PDB file of all heavy atoms in Angstrom:
ATOM      1  N   ARG K 631       9.518  -0.266  -4.529  1.00  0.00           N
ATOM      2  CA  ARG K 631      10.700  -1.042  -4.889  1.00  0.00           C
ATOM      3  C   ARG K 631      11.523  -1.380  -3.666  1.00  0.00           C
ATOM      4  O   ARG K 631      11.623  -0.595  -2.722  1.00  0.00           O
ATOM      5  CB  ARG K 631      11.593  -0.295  -5.775  1.00  0.00           C
ATOM      6  CG  ARG K 631      10.726   0.124  -7.139  1.00  0.00           C
ATOM      7  CD  ARG K 631      10.454  -1.134  -7.958  1.00  0.00           C
ATOM      8  NE  ARG K 631       9.932  -0.769  -9.355  1.00  0.00           N
ATOM      9  CZ  ARG K 631       8.659  -0.860  -9.531  1.00  0.00           C
ATOM     10  NH1 ARG K 631       7.804  -1.025  -8.556  1.00  0.00           N
ATOM     11  NH2 ARG K 631       8.099  -0.564 -10.732  1.00  0.00           N
ATOM     12  N   GLY K 632      11.800  -2.729  -3.609  1.00  0.00           N
ATOM     13  CA  GLY K 632      12.693  -3.224  -2.454  1.00  0.00           C
ATOM     14  C   GLY K 632      14.033  -3.709  -2.919  1.00  0.00           C
ATOM     15  O   GLY K 632      14.557  -3.144  -3.881  1.00  0.00           O
ATOM     16  N   SER K 633      14.563  -4.521  -2.177  1.00  0.00           N
ATOM     17  CA  SER K 633      15.963  -5.004  -2.492  1.00  0.00           C
ATOM     18  C   SER K 633      16.284  -6.298  -1.939  1.00  0.00           C
ATOM     19  O   SER K 633      15.587  -6.828  -0.989  1.00  0.00           O
ATOM     20  CB  SER K 633      16.933  -4.022  -1.787  1.00  0.00           C
ATOM     21  OG  SER K 633      16.855  -3.923  -0.437  1.00  0.00           O
ATOM     22  N   VAL K 634      17.311  -6.985  -2.397  1.00  0.00           N
ATOM     23  CA  VAL K 634      17.913  -8.087  -1.858  1.00  0.00           C
ATOM     24  C   VAL K 634      19.345  -7.765  -1.538  1.00  0.00           C
ATOM     25  O   VAL K 634      20.123  -7.260  -2.365  1.00  0.00           O
ATOM     26  CB  VAL K 634      18.005  -9.279  -2.913  1.00  0.00           C
ATOM     27  CG1 VAL K 634      18.689 -10.472  -2.234  1.00  0.00           C
ATOM     28  CG2 VAL K 634      16.490  -9.659  -3.321  1.00  0.00           C
ATOM     29  N   ARG K 635      19.697  -7.984  -0.238  1.00  0.00           N
ATOM     30  CA  ARG K 635      21.042  -7.728   0.192  1.00  0.00           C
ATOM     31  C   ARG K 635      21.603  -8.968   1.042  1.00  0.00           C
ATOM     32  O   ARG K 635      20.775  -9.926   1.338  1.00  0.00           O
ATOM     33  CB  ARG K 635      21.061  -6.488   1.080  1.00  0.00           C
ATOM     34  CG  ARG K 635      20.695  -5.216   0.241  1.00  0.00           C
ATOM     35  CD  ARG K 635      21.877  -4.855  -0.533  1.00  0.00           C
ATOM     36  NE  ARG K 635      21.647  -3.559  -1.442  1.00  0.00           N
ATOM     37  CZ  ARG K 635      21.370  -3.539  -2.626  1.00  0.00           C
ATOM     38  NH1 ARG K 635      21.386  -4.731  -3.337  1.00  0.00           N
ATOM     39  NH2 ARG K 635      21.230  -2.438  -3.333  1.00  0.00           N
ATOM     40  N   LEU K 636      22.850  -8.988   1.303  1.00  0.00           N
ATOM     41  CA  LEU K 636      23.492 -10.038   2.056  1.00  0.00           C
ATOM     42  C   LEU K 636      23.491  -9.687   3.639  1.00  0.00           C
ATOM     43  O   LEU K 636      23.673  -8.506   3.979  1.00  0.00           O
ATOM     44  CB  LEU K 636      24.940 -10.173   1.652  1.00  0.00           C
ATOM     45  CG  LEU K 636      25.145 -10.662   0.160  1.00  0.00           C
ATOM     46  CD1 LEU K 636      26.636 -10.794  -0.127  1.00  0.00           C
ATOM     47  CD2 LEU K 636      24.367 -11.886  -0.147  1.00  0.00           C
ATOM     48  N   LYS K 637      23.277 -10.548   4.389  1.00  0.00           N
ATOM     49  CA  LYS K 637      23.360 -10.448   5.846  1.00  0.00           C
ATOM     50  C   LYS K 637      24.867 -10.392   6.237  1.00  0.00           C
ATOM     51  O   LYS K 637      25.313  -9.642   7.101  1.00  0.00           O
ATOM     52  CB  LYS K 637      22.695 -11.555   6.513  1.00  0.00           C
ATOM     53  CG  LYS K 637      22.788 -11.472   8.061  1.00  0.00           C
ATOM     54  CD  LYS K 637      21.942 -12.450   8.761  1.00  0.00           C
ATOM     55  CE  LYS K 637      22.060 -12.359  10.267  1.00  0.00           C
ATOM     56  NZ  LYS K 637      21.268 -13.493  10.943  1.00  0.00           N
ATOM     57  N   SER K 638      25.632 -11.271   5.572  1.00  0.00           N
ATOM     58  CA  SER K 638      27.091 -11.374   5.784  1.00  0.00           C
ATOM     59  C   SER K 638      27.839 -12.001   4.619  1.00  0.00           C
ATOM     60  O   SER K 638      27.106 -12.279   3.604  1.00  0.00           O
ATOM     61  CB  SER K 638      27.237 -12.287   7.071  1.00  0.00           C
ATOM     62  OG  SER K 638      27.102 -13.579   6.738  1.00  0.00           O
ATOM     63  N   ALA K 639      29.028 -12.293   4.728  1.00  0.00           N
ATOM     64  CA  ALA K 639      29.778 -12.922   3.697  1.00  0.00           C
ATOM     65  C   ALA K 639      29.547 -14.479   3.766  1.00  0.00           C
ATOM     66  O   ALA K 639      30.113 -15.248   2.909  1.00  0.00           O
ATOM     67  CB  ALA K 639      31.297 -12.535   3.766  1.00  0.00           C
ATOM     68  N   ASN K 640      28.949 -14.914   4.729  1.00  0.00           N
ATOM     69  CA  ASN K 640      28.693 -16.426   4.976  1.00  0.00           C
ATOM     70  C   ASN K 640      27.617 -16.776   4.036  1.00  0.00           C
ATOM     71  O   ASN K 640      26.503 -16.487   4.253  1.00  0.00           O
ATOM     72  CB  ASN K 640      28.449 -16.642   6.390  1.00  0.00           C
ATOM     73  CG  ASN K 640      28.360 -18.195   6.647  1.00  0.00           C
ATOM     74  OD1 ASN K 640      28.357 -18.981   5.789  1.00  0.00           O
ATOM     75  ND2 ASN K 640      28.206 -18.627   7.911  1.00  0.00           N
ATOM     76  N   PRO K 641      27.868 -17.676   2.994  1.00  0.00           N
ATOM     77  CA  PRO K 641      26.917 -18.184   2.088  1.00  0.00           C
ATOM     78  C   PRO K 641      25.758 -18.908   2.917  1.00  0.00           C
ATOM     79  O   PRO K 641      24.621 -19.066   2.363  1.00  0.00           O
ATOM     80  CB  PRO K 641      27.607 -19.059   1.206  1.00  0.00           C
ATOM     81  CG  PRO K 641      28.957 -18.687   1.226  1.00  0.00           C
ATOM     82  CD  PRO K 641      29.249 -18.259   2.670  1.00  0.00           C
ATOM     83  N   ALA K 642      25.932 -19.416   4.047  1.00  0.00           N
ATOM     84  CA  ALA K 642      24.983 -20.189   4.739  1.00  0.00           C
ATOM     85  C   ALA K 642      23.975 -19.216   5.390  1.00  0.00           C
ATOM     86  O   ALA K 642      22.816 -19.668   5.755  1.00  0.00           O
ATOM     87  CB  ALA K 642      25.547 -20.925   5.945  1.00  0.00           C
ATOM     88  N   ASP K 643      24.214 -17.917   5.533  1.00  0.00           N
ATOM     89  CA  ASP K 643      23.280 -16.999   6.014  1.00  0.00           C
ATOM     90  C   ASP K 643      22.089 -16.599   4.955  1.00  0.00           C
ATOM     91  O   ASP K 643      22.477 -16.446   3.783  1.00  0.00           O
ATOM     92  CB  ASP K 643      23.902 -15.702   6.473  1.00  0.00           C
ATOM     93  CG  ASP K 643      24.637 -15.802   7.791  1.00  0.00           C
ATOM     94  OD1 ASP K 643      24.378 -16.834   8.548  1.00  0.00           O
ATOM     95  OD2 ASP K 643      25.558 -15.053   8.101  1.00  0.00           O
ATOM     96  N   ALA K 644      20.898 -16.612   5.447  1.00  0.00           N
ATOM     97  CA  ALA K 644      19.738 -16.194   4.490  1.00  0.00           C
ATOM     98  C   ALA K 644      19.996 -14.812   4.101  1.00  0.00           C
ATOM     99  O   ALA K 644      20.480 -13.886   4.802  1.00  0.00           O
ATOM    100  CB  ALA K 644      18.429 -16.405   5.190  1.00  0.00           C
ATOM    101  N   PRO K 645      19.633 -14.497   2.765  1.00  0.00           N
ATOM    102  CA  PRO K 645      19.750 -13.109   2.426  1.00  0.00           C
ATOM    103  C   PRO K 645      18.709 -12.195   3.015  1.00  0.00           C
ATOM    104  O   PRO K 645      17.676 -12.749   3.597  1.00  0.00           O
ATOM    105  CB  PRO K 645      19.371 -13.262   0.815  1.00  0.00           C
ATOM    106  CG  PRO K 645      18.595 -14.419   0.714  1.00  0.00           C
ATOM    107  CD  PRO K 645      19.065 -15.443   1.740  1.00  0.00           C
ATOM    108  N   LEU K 646      18.897 -10.927   2.924  1.00  0.00           N
ATOM    109  CA  LEU K 646      17.961  -9.969   3.483  1.00  0.00           C
ATOM    110  C   LEU K 646      16.946  -9.567   2.313  1.00  0.00           C
ATOM    111  O   LEU K 646      17.406  -8.825   1.504  1.00  0.00           O
ATOM    112  CB  LEU K 646      18.767  -8.763   4.003  1.00  0.00           C
ATOM    113  CG  LEU K 646      19.777  -9.019   5.079  1.00  0.00           C
ATOM    114  CD1 LEU K 646      20.468  -7.706   5.443  1.00  0.00           C
ATOM    115  CD2 LEU K 646      19.157  -9.679   6.361  1.00  0.00           C
ATOM    116  N   ILE K 647      15.777 -10.238   2.507  1.00  0.00           N
ATOM    117  CA  ILE K 647      14.755  -9.988   1.445  1.00  0.00           C
ATOM    118  C   ILE K 647      13.791  -8.808   1.911  1.00  0.00           C
ATOM    119  O   ILE K 647      13.102  -9.025   2.976  1.00  0.00           O
ATOM    120  CB  ILE K 647      13.961 -11.144   1.198  1.00  0.00           C
ATOM    121  CG1 ILE K 647      14.975 -12.399   0.786  1.00  0.00           C
ATOM    122  CG2 ILE K 647      12.997 -11.037   0.046  1.00  0.00           C
ATOM    123  CD1 ILE K 647      14.279 -13.771   0.781  1.00  0.00           C
ATOM    124  N   ASP K 648      13.798  -7.724   1.141  1.00  0.00           N
ATOM    125  CA  ASP K 648      12.971  -6.634   1.633  1.00  0.00           C
ATOM    126  C   ASP K 648      12.122  -6.183   0.380  1.00  0.00           C
ATOM    127  O   ASP K 648      12.524  -5.201  -0.311  1.00  0.00           O
ATOM    128  CB  ASP K 648      13.779  -5.416   2.083  1.00  0.00           C
ATOM    129  CG  ASP K 648      12.937  -4.266   2.639  1.00  0.00           C
ATOM    130  OD1 ASP K 648      11.716  -4.415   2.721  1.00  0.00           O
ATOM    131  OD2 ASP K 648      13.498  -3.214   2.836  1.00  0.00           O
ATOM    132  N   PRO K 649      10.928  -6.715   0.188  1.00  0.00           N
ATOM    133  CA  PRO K 649      10.117  -6.251  -0.888  1.00  0.00           C
ATOM    134  C   PRO K 649       9.499  -4.836  -0.701  1.00  0.00           C
ATOM    135  O   PRO K 649       9.071  -4.221  -1.602  1.00  0.00           O
ATOM    136  CB  PRO K 649       8.858  -7.268  -0.759  1.00  0.00           C
ATOM    137  CG  PRO K 649       9.342  -8.382  -0.096  1.00  0.00           C
ATOM    138  CD  PRO K 649      10.460  -7.873   1.007  1.00  0.00           C
ATOM    139  N   ASN K 650       9.769  -4.310   0.648  1.00  0.00           N
ATOM    140  CA  ASN K 650       9.332  -2.939   0.905  1.00  0.00           C
ATOM    141  C   ASN K 650       7.857  -2.760   0.648  1.00  0.00           C
ATOM    142  O   ASN K 650       7.432  -1.634   0.057  1.00  0.00           O
ATOM    143  CB  ASN K 650      10.137  -1.974   0.085  1.00  0.00           C
ATOM    144  CG  ASN K 650      10.222  -0.473   0.689  1.00  0.00           C
ATOM    145  OD1 ASN K 650      10.086  -0.430   1.893  1.00  0.00           O
ATOM    146  ND2 ASN K 650      10.628   0.407  -0.058  1.00  0.00           N
ATOM    147  N   TYR K 651       7.058  -3.652   0.963  1.00  0.00           N
ATOM    148  CA  TYR K 651       5.554  -3.621   0.764  1.00  0.00           C
ATOM    149  C   TYR K 651       5.064  -2.304   1.325  1.00  0.00           C
ATOM    150  O   TYR K 651       5.294  -1.878   2.416  1.00  0.00           O
ATOM    151  CB  TYR K 651       4.945  -4.806   1.388  1.00  0.00           C
ATOM    152  CG  TYR K 651       5.170  -6.198   0.902  1.00  0.00           C
ATOM    153  CD1 TYR K 651       5.673  -7.145   1.686  1.00  0.00           C
ATOM    154  CD2 TYR K 651       5.131  -6.473  -0.492  1.00  0.00           C
ATOM    155  CE1 TYR K 651       6.004  -8.423   1.298  1.00  0.00           C
ATOM    156  CE2 TYR K 651       5.345  -7.747  -0.991  1.00  0.00           C
ATOM    157  CZ  TYR K 651       5.794  -8.714  -0.043  1.00  0.00           C
ATOM    158  OH  TYR K 651       6.055 -10.022  -0.545  1.00  0.00           O
ATOM    159  N   TRP K 652       4.099  -1.681   0.475  1.00  0.00           N
ATOM    160  CA  TRP K 652       3.337  -0.563   0.891  1.00  0.00           C
ATOM    161  C   TRP K 652       4.222   0.646   1.119  1.00  0.00           C
ATOM    162  O   TRP K 652       3.723   1.526   1.890  1.00  0.00           O
ATOM    163  CB  TRP K 652       2.295  -0.829   1.949  1.00  0.00           C
ATOM    164  CG  TRP K 652       1.289  -1.756   1.520  1.00  0.00           C
ATOM    165  CD1 TRP K 652       1.075  -2.277   0.264  1.00  0.00           C
ATOM    166  CD2 TRP K 652       0.179  -2.307   2.404  1.00  0.00           C
ATOM    167  NE1 TRP K 652      -0.089  -3.067   0.345  1.00  0.00           N
ATOM    168  CE2 TRP K 652      -0.662  -3.108   1.516  1.00  0.00           C
ATOM    169  CE3 TRP K 652      -0.281  -2.063   3.757  1.00  0.00           C
ATOM    170  CZ2 TRP K 652      -1.811  -3.692   2.054  1.00  0.00           C
ATOM    171  CZ3 TRP K 652      -1.342  -2.757   4.171  1.00  0.00           C
ATOM    172  CH2 TRP K 652      -2.049  -3.589   3.322  1.00  0.00           C
ATOM    173  N   ALA K 653       5.451   0.706   0.652  1.00  0.00           N
ATOM    174  CA  ALA K 653       6.276   1.948   0.868  1.00  0.00           C
ATOM    175  C   ALA K 653       5.557   3.117   0.162  1.00  0.00           C
ATOM    176  O   ALA K 653       5.700   4.260   0.548  1.00  0.00           O
ATOM    177  CB  ALA K 653       7.610   1.744   0.309  1.00  0.00           C
ATOM    178  N   ASP K 654       4.816   2.795  -0.927  1.00  0.00           N
ATOM    179  CA  ASP K 654       4.000   3.795  -1.654  1.00  0.00           C
ATOM    180  C   ASP K 654       2.570   3.665  -1.120  1.00  0.00           C
ATOM    181  O   ASP K 654       2.026   2.486  -1.333  1.00  0.00           O
ATOM    182  CB  ASP K 654       4.089   3.552  -3.116  1.00  0.00           C
ATOM    183  CG  ASP K 654       3.464   4.642  -3.889  1.00  0.00           C
ATOM    184  OD1 ASP K 654       2.260   5.098  -3.554  1.00  0.00           O
ATOM    185  OD2 ASP K 654       4.168   5.168  -4.823  1.00  0.00           O
ATOM    186  N   PRO K 655       1.902   4.650  -0.572  1.00  0.00           N
ATOM    187  CA  PRO K 655       0.500   4.545  -0.068  1.00  0.00           C
ATOM    188  C   PRO K 655      -0.536   4.121  -1.138  1.00  0.00           C
ATOM    189  O   PRO K 655      -1.498   3.492  -0.759  1.00  0.00           O
ATOM    190  CB  PRO K 655       0.296   5.958   0.393  1.00  0.00           C
ATOM    191  CG  PRO K 655       1.563   6.607   0.607  1.00  0.00           C
ATOM    192  CD  PRO K 655       2.506   5.993  -0.330  1.00  0.00           C
ATOM    193  N   HIS K 656      -0.076   4.314  -2.426  1.00  0.00           N
ATOM    194  CA  HIS K 656      -1.033   3.902  -3.380  1.00  0.00           C
ATOM    195  C   HIS K 656      -1.215   2.385  -3.501  1.00  0.00           C
ATOM    196  O   HIS K 656      -2.182   1.949  -3.624  1.00  0.00           O
ATOM    197  CB  HIS K 656      -0.554   4.357  -4.866  1.00  0.00           C
ATOM    198  CG  HIS K 656      -1.343   4.046  -6.036  1.00  0.00           C
ATOM    199  ND1 HIS K 656      -1.262   2.914  -6.789  1.00  0.00           N
ATOM    200  CD2 HIS K 656      -2.450   4.771  -6.486  1.00  0.00           C
ATOM    201  CE1 HIS K 656      -2.067   2.817  -7.654  1.00  0.00           C
ATOM    202  NE2 HIS K 656      -2.868   3.954  -7.595  1.00  0.00           N
ATOM    203  N   ASP K 657      -0.082   1.678  -3.198  1.00  0.00           N
ATOM    204  CA  ASP K 657      -0.121   0.235  -3.092  1.00  0.00           C
ATOM    205  C   ASP K 657      -1.039  -0.263  -2.008  1.00  0.00           C
ATOM    206  O   ASP K 657      -1.920  -1.266  -2.292  1.00  0.00           O
ATOM    207  CB  ASP K 657       1.300  -0.368  -2.942  1.00  0.00           C
ATOM    208  CG  ASP K 657       2.176  -0.006  -4.142  1.00  0.00           C
ATOM    209  OD1 ASP K 657       1.774   0.446  -5.146  1.00  0.00           O
ATOM    210  OD2 ASP K 657       3.474  -0.300  -3.889  1.00  0.00           O
ATOM    211  N   ARG K 658      -0.986   0.356  -0.909  1.00  0.00           N
ATOM    212  CA  ARG K 658      -1.851  -0.016   0.214  1.00  0.00           C
ATOM    213  C   ARG K 658      -3.414   0.243  -0.038  1.00  0.00           C
ATOM    214  O   ARG K 658      -4.184  -0.597   0.033  1.00  0.00           O
ATOM    215  CB  ARG K 658      -1.446   0.879   1.461  1.00  0.00           C
ATOM    216  CG  ARG K 658      -2.304   0.738   2.608  1.00  0.00           C
ATOM    217  CD  ARG K 658      -1.731   1.484   3.766  1.00  0.00           C
ATOM    218  NE  ARG K 658      -2.754   1.783   4.793  1.00  0.00           N
ATOM    219  CZ  ARG K 658      -2.509   2.396   5.941  1.00  0.00           C
ATOM    220  NH1 ARG K 658      -1.219   2.707   6.340  1.00  0.00           N
ATOM    221  NH2 ARG K 658      -3.428   2.603   6.832  1.00  0.00           N
ATOM    222  N   GLU K 659      -3.644   1.431  -0.706  1.00  0.00           N
ATOM    223  CA  GLU K 659      -5.045   1.697  -1.036  1.00  0.00           C
ATOM    224  C   GLU K 659      -5.565   0.728  -2.063  1.00  0.00           C
ATOM    225  O   GLU K 659      -6.659   0.296  -1.834  1.00  0.00           O
ATOM    226  CB  GLU K 659      -5.039   3.094  -1.597  1.00  0.00           C
ATOM    227  CG  GLU K 659      -6.479   3.565  -1.956  1.00  0.00           C
ATOM    228  CD  GLU K 659      -6.537   4.938  -2.586  1.00  0.00           C
ATOM    229  OE1 GLU K 659      -5.500   5.616  -2.685  1.00  0.00           O
ATOM    230  OE2 GLU K 659      -7.586   5.324  -3.096  1.00  0.00           O
ATOM    231  N   MET K 660      -4.810   0.396  -3.114  1.00  0.00           N
ATOM    232  CA  MET K 660      -5.349  -0.568  -4.058  1.00  0.00           C
ATOM    233  C   MET K 660      -5.404  -1.959  -3.560  1.00  0.00           C
ATOM    234  O   MET K 660      -6.406  -2.717  -3.994  1.00  0.00           O
ATOM    235  CB  MET K 660      -4.321  -0.598  -5.291  1.00  0.00           C
ATOM    236  CG  MET K 660      -4.278   0.848  -6.117  1.00  0.00           C
ATOM    237  SD  MET K 660      -5.920   1.332  -6.633  1.00  0.00           S
ATOM    238  CE  MET K 660      -6.262   2.714  -5.491  1.00  0.00           C
ATOM    239  N   SER K 661      -4.492  -2.370  -2.784  1.00  0.00           N
ATOM    240  CA  SER K 661      -4.539  -3.706  -2.148  1.00  0.00           C
ATOM    241  C   SER K 661      -5.841  -3.907  -1.248  1.00  0.00           C
ATOM    242  O   SER K 661      -6.509  -4.891  -1.393  1.00  0.00           O
ATOM    243  CB  SER K 661      -3.326  -3.837  -1.220  1.00  0.00           C
ATOM    244  OG  SER K 661      -2.135  -4.055  -2.076  1.00  0.00           O
TER     245      SER K 661
END
């Protein structure tokens, strides 16, 4: 499980997108 967070209060800044890929070793093995 990952998250979406803000880089700053500036709406022009891209969000911080973190899918957190393969944080669980099972995901890596199955992939």
Side-chain angles (χ1 to χ4, degrees):
R631 297 293 183 266
S633 64
V634 175
R635 293 289 181 253
L636 300 178
K637 181 179 180 181
S638 75
N640 184 354
D643 284 342
L646 303 177
I647 304 168
D648 184 8
N650 204 20
Y651 296 125
W652 289 1
D654 190 308
H656 183 265
D657 297 349
R658 170 175 161 176
E659 181 184 353
M660 294 303 109
S661 294

